[in-house]
């Protein structure tokens, strides 16, 4: 007798659908747990992160470097025409300019040049006993009564005017019989304490020669004039090389009045410490015969 084989029991359609849902739910749970997407897993992770952050000590903030900038409102501005100040001078509350009352212009002397035209000779003097005037400058106004005379200053003043030094000033231009008033308006200038920045030079006058020269004006008018040939030597007594030597030479008569003057940049080479070089200049003499020669110099240190 053969045993009969029972046929497998087939699931119904509702049972198959329920099985599929169970499989999908299990897979979704596993996937969510793996990626930490479950609500209680997120809460646990957040709590752990916050605890770790709370246990760490916050790093101190870096202290900004100290600043020298001082902000003032409203700002007390310092504006000085014709003078360029450095940053240190602008920030220095004790900074002061050269006192213009220490600079004087002597009463000019009216003289006639070689073609009989009038000119004025005067001197600028630094009467300060403590300070050097740096780059002094002035505007000179000359009047004949109420009429201003159009006269020009022939050369500039030195970059450094030391106490007691006398610089000749030559004014010429309009033809005039007389003058009644001279005004010197000094521009602001800086100052320096002694001994100052000027290189030390030795200027000596070896000898002088008085002579007479001649010339022709407009090919018809011949004239004669007196001049003095000055022979001298410049020596570098400083410890640095010196260049660009300038001189202001004055001729004084027996009454110690100006009778002639000239400014010139000497044609001498660069002078090393201890070196010297000769020079010669001719100075026209408008007044009486000269009795002595005065020299003021300025130079540039390299």
């Amino acid at each position: 007798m053969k045993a009969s084989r029972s046929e497998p029991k087939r699931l119904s359609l509702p049972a198959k659908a329920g099985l599929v849902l169970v499989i999908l739910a299990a897979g979704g749970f596993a996937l969510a747990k793996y990626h930490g997407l479950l609500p209680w897993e997120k809460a646990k992770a957040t709590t752990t992160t916050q605890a770790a952050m709370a246990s760490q000590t916050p790093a101190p903030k870096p202290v900004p470097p100290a600043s020298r900038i001082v902000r003032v409102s409203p700002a007390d501005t310092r504006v000085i025409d014709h003078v360029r100040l450095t940053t240190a001078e602008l920030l220095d509350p004790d900074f002061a300019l050269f006192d213009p009352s220490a600079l004087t212009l002597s009463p000019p002397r009216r003289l006639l040049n070689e073609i009989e035209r009038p000119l004025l000779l005067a001197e600028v003097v630094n009467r300060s006993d403590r300070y050097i005037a740096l780059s002094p400058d002035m505007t000179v106004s000359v009047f004949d009564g109420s009429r201003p005379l159009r006269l020009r200053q022939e050369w500039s003043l030195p970059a450094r005017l030391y106490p007691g030094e006398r610089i000749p000033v030559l004014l010429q231009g309009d033809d005039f019989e007389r003058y009644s008033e001279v005004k010197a308006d000094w521009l602001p200038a800086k100052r320096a304490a002694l001994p100052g920045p000027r290189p030390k030079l030795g200027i000596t006058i070896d000898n002088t020669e008085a002579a007479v020269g001649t010339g022709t004006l407009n090919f018809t008018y011949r004239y004669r004039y007196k001049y003095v040939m000055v022979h001298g030597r410049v020596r570098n007594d400083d410890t640095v090389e010196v260049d660009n030597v300038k001189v202001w030479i004055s001729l004084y008569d027996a009454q110690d009045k100006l009778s002639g003057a000239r400014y010139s940049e000497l044609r001498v080479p660069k002078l090393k410490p201890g070196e010297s070089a000769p020079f010669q200049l001719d100075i026209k003499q408008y007044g009486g015969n000269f009795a002595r020669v005065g020299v003021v110099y300025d130079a540039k240190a390299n």
Side-chain angles (χ1 to χ4, degrees):
M1 184 173 177
K2 292 183 181 180
S4 62
R5 297 179 63 183
S6 61
E7 300 225 356
K9 188 176 181 180
R10 296 184 179 180
L11 295 176
S12 63
L13 185 59
K16 290 181 180 180
L19 182 59
V20 171
L21 291 176
V22 171
I23 294 173
L24 291 176
F29 178 80
L31 183 63
K33 184 173 181 61
Y34 177 78
H35 289 284
L37 299 177
L38 296 177
W40 53 87
E41 294 290 340
K42 284 187 177 181
K44 183 178 178 181
T46 303
T47 304
T48 304
T49 304
Q50 290 177 351
M53 293 177 61
S55 63
Q56 294 179 356
T57 303
K61 294 183 179 180
V63 180
S67 175
R68 297 183 60 187
I69 298 176
V70 179
R71 291 177 172 83
V72 180
S73 181
D76 184 14
T77 58
R78 176 183 289 177
V79 179
I80 303 175
D81 294 331
H82 310 289
V83 176
R84 174 171 291 184
L85 302 182
T86 64
T87 303
E89 291 167 340
L90 287 170
L91 296 176
D92 184 5
D94 298 324
F95 172 79
L97 295 172
F98 186 85
D99 183 5
S101 64
L103 295 173
T104 60
L105 179 68
S106 68
R109 186 181 187 188
R110 182 184 179 277
L111 298 168
L112 298 178
N113 65 10
E114 63 271 23
I115 59 173
E116 301 298 319
R117 290 181 64 86
L119 55 84
L120 294 179
L121 271 178
E123 285 183 313
V124 169
V125 184
N126 180 3
R127 301 195 180 279
S128 173
D129 58 353
R130 299 176 55 192
Y131 295 109
I132 305 162
L134 301 179
S135 301
D137 197 7
M138 64 177 176
T139 301
V140 181
S141 302
V142 185
F143 297 89
D144 179 7
S146 60
R147 180 174 70 93
L149 301 177
R150 291 178 295 179
L151 302 180
R152 65 182 180 275
Q153 188 174 333
E154 289 299 314
W155 51 73
S156 60
L157 300 177
R160 309 169 188 91
L161 184 57
Y162 277 60
E165 289 184 335
R166 302 163 66 177
I167 302 297
V169 175
L170 174 62
L171 302 171
Q172 59 183 350
D174 274 358
D175 193 3
F176 61 98
E177 292 296 328
R178 65 184 184 90
Y179 72 93
S180 58
E181 185 179 356
V182 177
K183 294 179 61 178
D185 294 326
W186 292 98
L187 302 179
K190 294 196 288 188
R191 70 185 188 184
L194 295 171
R198 187 170 67 186
K200 296 180 181 178
L201 299 183
I203 308 290
T204 57
I205 304 299
D206 297 333
N207 68 293
T208 56
E209 301 175 13
V212 176
T214 59
T216 303
L217 180 64
N218 296 331
F219 303 101
T220 56
Y221 177 70
R222 293 185 60 84
Y223 59 88
R224 295 162 55 90
Y225 62 94
K226 296 185 295 182
Y227 71 94
V228 177
M229 182 65 70
V230 175
H231 300 267
R233 179 171 290 272
V234 53
R235 184 184 64 256
N236 184 2
D237 294 334
D238 213 309
T239 58
V240 296
E241 192 177 67
V242 173
D243 191 13
N244 195 25
V245 181
K246 304 174 182 179
V247 292
W248 290 257
I249 300 182
S250 304
L251 302 178
Y252 297 93
D253 60 18
Q255 287 73 40
D256 204 35
K257 294 182 179 180
L258 276 174
S259 62
R262 181 177 174 180
Y263 158 78
S264 179
E265 182 175 340
L266 299 182
R267 296 180 179 178
V268 296
K270 291 183 179 180
L271 298 176
K272 296 180 180 179
E275 291 184 340
S276 65
F279 70 89
Q280 68 176 31
L281 291 172
D282 60 280
I283 299 99
K284 293 178 181 179
Q285 187 173 250
Y286 304 120
N289 293 332
F290 78 101
R292 69 179 183 92
V293 179
V295 180
V296 178
Y297 78 90
D298 201 0
K300 179 181 178 182
N302 294 327

PDB file of all heavy atoms in Angstrom, residues 101-116:
ATOM      1  N   SER A 101      60.574 136.964  15.716  1.00  0.00           N
ATOM      2  CA  SER A 101      61.083 138.234  16.236  1.00  0.00           C
ATOM      3  C   SER A 101      62.600 138.220  16.399  1.00  0.00           C
ATOM      4  O   SER A 101      63.213 139.281  16.541  1.00  0.00           O
ATOM      5  CB  SER A 101      60.416 138.561  17.575  1.00  0.00           C
ATOM      6  OG  SER A 101      60.756 137.600  18.560  1.00  0.00           O
ATOM      7  N   ALA A 102      63.203 137.024  16.372  1.00  0.00           N
ATOM      8  CA  ALA A 102      64.661 136.933  16.470  1.00  0.00           C
ATOM      9  C   ALA A 102      65.349 137.171  15.132  1.00  0.00           C
ATOM     10  O   ALA A 102      66.582 137.265  15.085  1.00  0.00           O
ATOM     11  CB  ALA A 102      65.067 135.572  17.026  1.00  0.00           C
ATOM     12  N   LEU A 103      64.588 137.259  14.043  1.00  0.00           N
ATOM     13  CA  LEU A 103      65.145 137.556  12.724  1.00  0.00           C
ATOM     14  C   LEU A 103      64.893 139.021  12.396  1.00  0.00           C
ATOM     15  O   LEU A 103      63.757 139.488  12.469  1.00  0.00           O
ATOM     16  CB  LEU A 103      64.516 136.662  11.656  1.00  0.00           C
ATOM     17  CG  LEU A 103      64.790 135.163  11.774  1.00  0.00           C
ATOM     18  CD1 LEU A 103      63.964 134.394  10.757  1.00  0.00           C
ATOM     19  CD2 LEU A 103      66.274 134.865  11.591  1.00  0.00           C
ATOM     20  N   THR A 104      65.937 139.724  12.031  1.00  0.00           N
ATOM     21  CA  THR A 104      65.796 141.145  11.719  1.00  0.00           C
ATOM     22  C   THR A 104      66.412 141.440  10.356  1.00  0.00           C
ATOM     23  O   THR A 104      67.383 140.796   9.936  1.00  0.00           O
ATOM     24  CB  THR A 104      66.484 142.026  12.780  1.00  0.00           C
ATOM     25  OG1 THR A 104      67.886 141.707  12.823  1.00  0.00           O
ATOM     26  CG2 THR A 104      65.869 141.793  14.157  1.00  0.00           C
ATOM     27  N   LEU A 105      65.822 142.405   9.688  1.00  0.00           N
ATOM     28  CA  LEU A 105      66.355 142.926   8.427  1.00  0.00           C
ATOM     29  C   LEU A 105      66.870 144.332   8.696  1.00  0.00           C
ATOM     30  O   LEU A 105      66.109 145.202   9.130  1.00  0.00           O
ATOM     31  CB  LEU A 105      65.275 142.944   7.352  1.00  0.00           C
ATOM     32  CG  LEU A 105      65.694 143.493   5.985  1.00  0.00           C
ATOM     33  CD1 LEU A 105      66.693 142.560   5.316  1.00  0.00           C
ATOM     34  CD2 LEU A 105      64.470 143.687   5.084  1.00  0.00           C
ATOM     35  N   SER A 106      68.161 144.537   8.470  1.00  0.00           N
ATOM     36  CA  SER A 106      68.753 145.853   8.737  1.00  0.00           C
ATOM     37  C   SER A 106      68.194 146.901   7.778  1.00  0.00           C
ATOM     38  O   SER A 106      67.716 146.565   6.690  1.00  0.00           O
ATOM     39  CB  SER A 106      70.272 145.776   8.608  1.00  0.00           C
ATOM     40  OG  SER A 106      70.638 145.551   7.247  1.00  0.00           O
ATOM     41  N   PRO A 107      68.240 148.174   8.156  1.00  0.00           N
ATOM     42  CA  PRO A 107      67.808 149.226   7.223  1.00  0.00           C
ATOM     43  C   PRO A 107      68.613 149.149   5.924  1.00  0.00           C
ATOM     44  O   PRO A 107      69.849 149.144   5.952  1.00  0.00           O
ATOM     45  CB  PRO A 107      68.091 150.513   7.985  1.00  0.00           C
ATOM     46  CG  PRO A 107      68.058 150.107   9.427  1.00  0.00           C
ATOM     47  CD  PRO A 107      68.615 148.718   9.463  1.00  0.00           C
ATOM     48  N   PRO A 108      67.962 149.052   4.771  1.00  0.00           N
ATOM     49  CA  PRO A 108      68.703 148.909   3.516  1.00  0.00           C
ATOM     50  C   PRO A 108      69.521 150.154   3.182  1.00  0.00           C
ATOM     51  O   PRO A 108      69.186 151.279   3.577  1.00  0.00           O
ATOM     52  CB  PRO A 108      67.603 148.672   2.472  1.00  0.00           C
ATOM     53  CG  PRO A 108      66.398 148.268   3.256  1.00  0.00           C
ATOM     54  CD  PRO A 108      66.515 148.971   4.558  1.00  0.00           C
ATOM     55  N   ARG A 109      70.560 149.932   2.437  1.00  0.00           N
ATOM     56  CA  ARG A 109      71.405 151.017   1.951  1.00  0.00           C
ATOM     57  C   ARG A 109      71.186 151.153   0.450  1.00  0.00           C
ATOM     58  O   ARG A 109      71.354 150.196  -0.312  1.00  0.00           O
ATOM     59  CB  ARG A 109      72.873 150.712   2.248  1.00  0.00           C
ATOM     60  CG  ARG A 109      73.810 151.856   1.901  1.00  0.00           C
ATOM     61  CD  ARG A 109      75.255 151.483   2.193  1.00  0.00           C
ATOM     62  NE  ARG A 109      76.121 152.626   2.005  1.00  0.00           N
ATOM     63  CZ  ARG A 109      77.450 152.573   2.044  1.00  0.00           C
ATOM     64  NH1 ARG A 109      78.056 151.399   2.252  1.00  0.00           N
ATOM     65  NH2 ARG A 109      78.177 153.668   1.876  1.00  0.00           N
ATOM     66  N   ARG A 110      70.793 152.375   0.030  1.00  0.00           N
ATOM     67  CA  ARG A 110      70.569 152.627  -1.395  1.00  0.00           C
ATOM     68  C   ARG A 110      71.898 152.944  -2.062  1.00  0.00           C
ATOM     69  O   ARG A 110      72.609 153.858  -1.654  1.00  0.00           O
ATOM     70  CB  ARG A 110      69.583 153.775  -1.601  1.00  0.00           C
ATOM     71  CG  ARG A 110      69.252 154.062  -3.074  1.00  0.00           C
ATOM     72  CD  ARG A 110      68.344 155.264  -3.205  1.00  0.00           C
ATOM     73  NE  ARG A 110      68.022 155.577  -4.585  1.00  0.00           N
ATOM     74  CZ  ARG A 110      68.786 156.295  -5.412  1.00  0.00           C
ATOM     75  NH1 ARG A 110      69.947 156.788  -4.979  1.00  0.00           N
ATOM     76  NH2 ARG A 110      68.405 156.531  -6.663  1.00  0.00           N
ATOM     77  N   LEU A 111      72.228 152.158  -3.108  1.00  0.00           N
ATOM     78  CA  LEU A 111      73.463 152.346  -3.845  1.00  0.00           C
ATOM     79  C   LEU A 111      73.151 152.299  -5.335  1.00  0.00           C
ATOM     80  O   LEU A 111      72.033 151.958  -5.745  1.00  0.00           O
ATOM     81  CB  LEU A 111      74.482 151.260  -3.488  1.00  0.00           C
ATOM     82  CG  LEU A 111      74.935 151.221  -2.020  1.00  0.00           C
ATOM     83  CD1 LEU A 111      75.697 149.931  -1.732  1.00  0.00           C
ATOM     84  CD2 LEU A 111      75.796 152.435  -1.683  1.00  0.00           C
ATOM     85  N   LEU A 112      74.134 152.615  -6.159  1.00  0.00           N
ATOM     86  CA  LEU A 112      73.991 152.579  -7.614  1.00  0.00           C
ATOM     87  C   LEU A 112      74.857 151.468  -8.172  1.00  0.00           C
ATOM     88  O   LEU A 112      76.022 151.309  -7.780  1.00  0.00           O
ATOM     89  CB  LEU A 112      74.390 153.919  -8.236  1.00  0.00           C
ATOM     90  CG  LEU A 112      73.556 155.139  -7.811  1.00  0.00           C
ATOM     91  CD1 LEU A 112      74.094 156.397  -8.478  1.00  0.00           C
ATOM     92  CD2 LEU A 112      72.083 154.944  -8.164  1.00  0.00           C
ATOM     93  N   ASN A 113      74.271 150.701  -9.092  1.00  0.00           N
ATOM     94  CA  ASN A 113      75.058 149.632  -9.694  1.00  0.00           C
ATOM     95  C   ASN A 113      75.935 150.165 -10.813  1.00  0.00           C
ATOM     96  O   ASN A 113      76.061 151.377 -11.013  1.00  0.00           O
ATOM     97  CB  ASN A 113      74.142 148.503 -10.171  1.00  0.00           C
ATOM     98  CG  ASN A 113      73.211 148.940 -11.297  1.00  0.00           C
ATOM     99  OD1 ASN A 113      73.351 150.032 -11.860  1.00  0.00           O
ATOM    100  ND2 ASN A 113      72.266 148.075 -11.647  1.00  0.00           N
ATOM    101  N   GLU A 114      76.519 149.254 -11.612  1.00  0.00           N
ATOM    102  CA  GLU A 114      77.494 149.669 -12.617  1.00  0.00           C
ATOM    103  C   GLU A 114      76.899 150.495 -13.738  1.00  0.00           C
ATOM    104  O   GLU A 114      77.624 151.236 -14.422  1.00  0.00           O
ATOM    105  CB  GLU A 114      78.200 148.428 -13.186  1.00  0.00           C
ATOM    106  CG  GLU A 114      77.300 147.463 -13.925  1.00  0.00           C
ATOM    107  CD  GLU A 114      76.697 146.415 -12.996  1.00  0.00           C
ATOM    108  OE1 GLU A 114      76.617 146.670 -11.775  1.00  0.00           O
ATOM    109  OE2 GLU A 114      76.302 145.357 -13.491  1.00  0.00           O
ATOM    110  N   ILE A 115      75.582 150.435 -13.969  1.00  0.00           N
ATOM    111  CA  ILE A 115      74.953 151.245 -15.015  1.00  0.00           C
ATOM    112  C   ILE A 115      74.092 152.359 -14.402  1.00  0.00           C
ATOM    113  O   ILE A 115      73.152 152.840 -15.027  1.00  0.00           O
ATOM    114  CB  ILE A 115      74.126 150.371 -15.967  1.00  0.00           C
ATOM    115  CG1 ILE A 115      73.035 149.603 -15.209  1.00  0.00           C
ATOM    116  CG2 ILE A 115      75.032 149.427 -16.745  1.00  0.00           C
ATOM    117  CD1 ILE A 115      72.082 148.851 -16.126  1.00  0.00           C
ATOM    118  N   GLU A 116      74.431 152.735 -13.169  1.00  0.00           N
ATOM    119  CA  GLU A 116      73.806 153.867 -12.482  1.00  0.00           C
ATOM    120  C   GLU A 116      72.330 153.634 -12.159  1.00  0.00           C
ATOM    121  O   GLU A 116      71.561 154.593 -12.074  1.00  0.00           O
ATOM    122  CB  GLU A 116      73.955 155.153 -13.319  1.00  0.00           C
ATOM    123  CG  GLU A 116      75.390 155.540 -13.626  1.00  0.00           C
ATOM    124  CD  GLU A 116      76.194 155.837 -12.373  1.00  0.00           C
ATOM    125  OE1 GLU A 116      75.637 156.493 -11.470  1.00  0.00           O
ATOM    126  OE2 GLU A 116      77.346 155.383 -12.286  1.00  0.00           O
TER     127      GLU A 116
END
